[in-house]
Amino acid sequence: NAEYMGERQKMQNYSSSLRQEVDELIHQHKLRRESLKKKNEACKLVAMNQGDQMFEKILTETKSSLFEAAQNQTRIESCCKRLHSRTNDFDQVASAWGTSYTSFANQLQEVGDIETWLKTIEAEINFSCNTLDKVWKSHTEELKKQAALEKERKKQEMNERLIRQRQADEYNRKFGEYKQQQQQEEKK
């Protein structure tokens, strides 16, 4: 029972430690996700600001030559391509995080399955221990009853022997008296 309690304490400590590690991993994941989200928003804002600036330059510098318009258009397309590239990169990172999160959730589910299994085993062991205790108590009580009956039977046998012994002694005494009377009558 002490070993069981020790093992149970170890499992509780392990479960508590595992929960703390899982909570820390989730916290770190949230922080990373927020950081990436902020970086992406900043990149989007920069790209949008650059795009807006380019667009404003094009509108305000309509008097400039077509060459400048082509250059500005090229820069806008370049920014858009970079934004698109960064968005794709962010999408890949987000997908990787999603895959990691799914894997992590599955592992947590397995931990939950193990914990459920351990609780089931614990309940079965408790049931078995309780049943064995009841059987042992019942057996001990039965042995006590049998011992008491045996003691009573021996006591009764002893009383019967004493009664028979007294009867035999009485018979022998009376027989002895009778013999003495017979011998005395013969002498007379």
Side-chain angles (χ1 to χ4, degrees):
N1 200 5
E3 289 177 29
Y4 168 72
M5 293 304 290
E7 289 297 318
R8 183 175 181 185
Q9 184 64 36
K10 286 179 187 177
M11 288 305 293
Q12 287 175 345
N13 290 344
Y14 176 73
S15 177
S16 175
S17 171
L18 187 58
R19 283 186 184 128
Q20 289 174 353
E21 289 177 19
V22 167
D23 289 343
E24 181 61 29
L25 286 172
I26 290 171
H27 178 70
Q28 289 176 2
H29 169 71
K30 286 180 181 178
L31 290 176
R32 286 184 195 134
R33 186 174 62 193
E34 289 298 320
S35 174
L36 286 173
K37 189 175 181 180
K38 287 178 183 177
K39 284 180 184 178
N40 189 38
E41 288 296 322
C43 288
K44 282 182 182 179
L45 285 175
V46 167
M48 288 175 66
N49 285 338
Q50 287 178 355
D52 288 342
Q53 288 172 2
M54 291 297 165
F55 183 71
E56 286 177 16
K57 281 183 182 180
I58 290 173
L59 290 177
T60 56
E61 296 179 7
T62 54
K63 295 179 183 177
S64 66
S65 68
L66 287 173
F67 180 72
E68 278 183 40
Q71 283 182 336
N72 287 339
Q73 182 65 31
T74 303
R75 276 192 261 161
I76 290 173
E77 288 176 0
S78 174
C79 287
C80 287
K81 286 179 183 178
R82 280 186 290 178
L83 177 62
H84 183 61
S85 174
R86 287 183 181 174
T87 304
N88 285 340
D89 291 345
F90 176 77
D91 186 43
Q92 289 174 354
V93 169
S95 294
W97 272 104
T99 303
S100 296
Y101 176 77
T102 302
S103 173
F104 181 70
N106 289 338
Q107 290 173 356
L108 280 179
Q109 183 179 5
E110 290 176 10
V111 168
D113 290 344
I114 290 170
E115 186 177 6
T116 302
W117 177 77
L118 287 173
K119 286 180 181 177
T120 302
I121 293 298
E122 180 183 357
E124 289 176 3
I125 288 172
N126 285 337
F127 176 77
S128 297
C129 288
N130 289 338
T131 302
L132 287 174
D133 282 345
K134 288 177 184 176
V135 168
W136 175 253
K137 286 177 183 175
S138 173
H139 180 70
T140 304
E141 288 175 10
E142 185 64 32
L143 287 176
K144 286 179 183 177
K145 285 179 185 177
Q146 287 178 359
L149 288 174
E150 183 65 22
K151 186 177 178 181
E152 184 64 33
R153 187 186 61 76
K154 285 183 180 183
K155 185 178 176 182
Q156 191 175 10
E157 282 179 8
M158 189 63 116
N159 286 339
E160 288 175 2
R161 281 185 198 154
L162 285 173
I163 290 171
R164 276 189 252 132
Q165 184 66 39
R166 285 181 189 160
Q167 288 174 347
D169 288 345
E170 182 67 27
Y171 174 78
N172 286 337
R173 187 185 61 78
K174 285 184 180 182
F175 185 72
E177 287 176 2
Y178 173 74
K179 282 254 186 183
Q180 281 179 354
Q181 281 180 358
Q182 287 280 337
Q183 286 176 357
Q184 284 176 1
E185 284 181 13
E186 284 180 8
K187 285 183 185 181
K188 287 185 183 181

